[in-house]
Amino acid sequence: MKRSAVYPGSFDPITKGHLDIIKRASQIFDEVIVAVLINPDKKGLFNIEERVELIKRVTRDIENVKTESFHGLLVDYMNEKGSNVIIKGLRAVSDFEYELQMSHMNKKLDATIETVFLMTSAKYSYLSSSSIKQVVMFGGCIDDLVPNEIIPDIMLKIDKK
Ligand code: PNS
């Protein structure tokens, strides 16, 4: 049986920390589905199609990774996909409480779903999509923070704002 896992998130935009989790998860599971949440209440920097395209671009060499978007409950999407493992990255203790709450909620909604936590690599433990947006906005350098091939997209987007 193919062991499939879903890595959900906002990915606005994908960071090197996210990519590191994707690569490591792809070595553990037969298939990793990166699932970008469609949240109509939250206008991001990139729209959903753009986020999906950026993730596809930086993961194109990882054979067993695919990227999609989803809306509604994560557990419903997972059942549709035939996966029962959620992958989450934990950067620090501060992530723990929120992630614990979400994993309990998902378990309550569907007892067959397990959340598997991977510790974010130490070198990316301070990274977040929102801090990256701020750094770019105020002219800072994001060279080590996001995959090189998406830096022009971020610059262009922020310039237009
Ligand atoms: O990158 P994020 O924004 O921390 O990701 C949060 C995400 C997408 C994993 C979470 O908001 C989610 O799963 N949303 C779907 C709605 C849902 O299933 N809610 C119930 C679990 S709390």
Side-chain angles (χ1 to χ4, degrees):
M1 197 186 79
K2 191 154 94 170
R3 203 99 187 99
S4 157
V6 171
Y7 179 39
S10 306
F11 305 105
D12 186 35
I14 183 166
T15 69
K16 279 197 173 180
H18 293 133
L19 186 56
D20 172 64
I21 295 287
I22 294 169
K23 284 180 180 164
R24 287 160 56 203
S26 75
Q27 285 163 9
I28 302 169
F29 294 93
D30 298 322
E31 174 187 60
V32 175
I33 306 170
V34 183
V36 184
L37 174 68
I38 302 170
N39 183 352
D41 302 330
K42 229 172 126 185
K43 205 180 166 314
L45 179 63
F46 290 96
N47 68 36
I48 299 300
E49 291 73 28
E50 291 168 332
R51 292 182 213 182
V52 167
E53 194 276 316
L54 295 180
I55 300 168
K56 283 187 172 169
R57 199 188 305 166
V58 301
T59 57
R60 65 184 178 278
D61 293 336
I62 317 171
E63 231 171 60
N64 58 339
V65 171
K66 65 178 182 187
T67 305
E68 296 184 346
S69 57
F70 77 103
H71 60 87
L73 287 178
L74 177 60
V75 294
D76 291 339
Y77 170 75
M78 299 197 50
N79 280 319
E80 238 174 71
K81 294 285 138 189
S83 172
N84 68 344
V85 178
I86 301 170
I87 298 286
K88 284 310 214 55
L90 271 188
R91 287 168 298 192
V93 178
S94 50
D95 282 342
F96 180 77
E97 222 167 306
Y98 175 61
E99 293 296 345
L100 181 70
Q101 211 177 19
M102 271 203 287
S103 72
H104 284 324
M105 180 57 85
N106 285 322
K107 194 74 167 165
K108 168 75 182 150
L109 293 170
D110 184 335
T112 67
I113 304 257
E114 291 295 345
T115 305
V116 170
F117 293 98
L118 294 182
M119 298 305 147
T120 300
S121 297
K123 61 182 171 178
Y124 303 130
S125 62
Y126 62 96
L127 275 189
S128 70
S129 298
S130 46
S131 66
I132 285 166
K133 283 182 272 196
Q134 273 189 19
V135 171
V136 179
M137 199 103 66
F138 296 110
C141 171
I142 53 165
D143 280 5
D144 296 325
L145 315 182
V146 296
N148 286 339
E149 55 269 60
I150 72 165
I151 292 179
D153 302 72
I154 300 172
M155 298 306 218
L156 199 67
K157 202 53 135 181
I158 300 246
D159 268 357
K160 280 190 190 159
K161 288 242 146 192

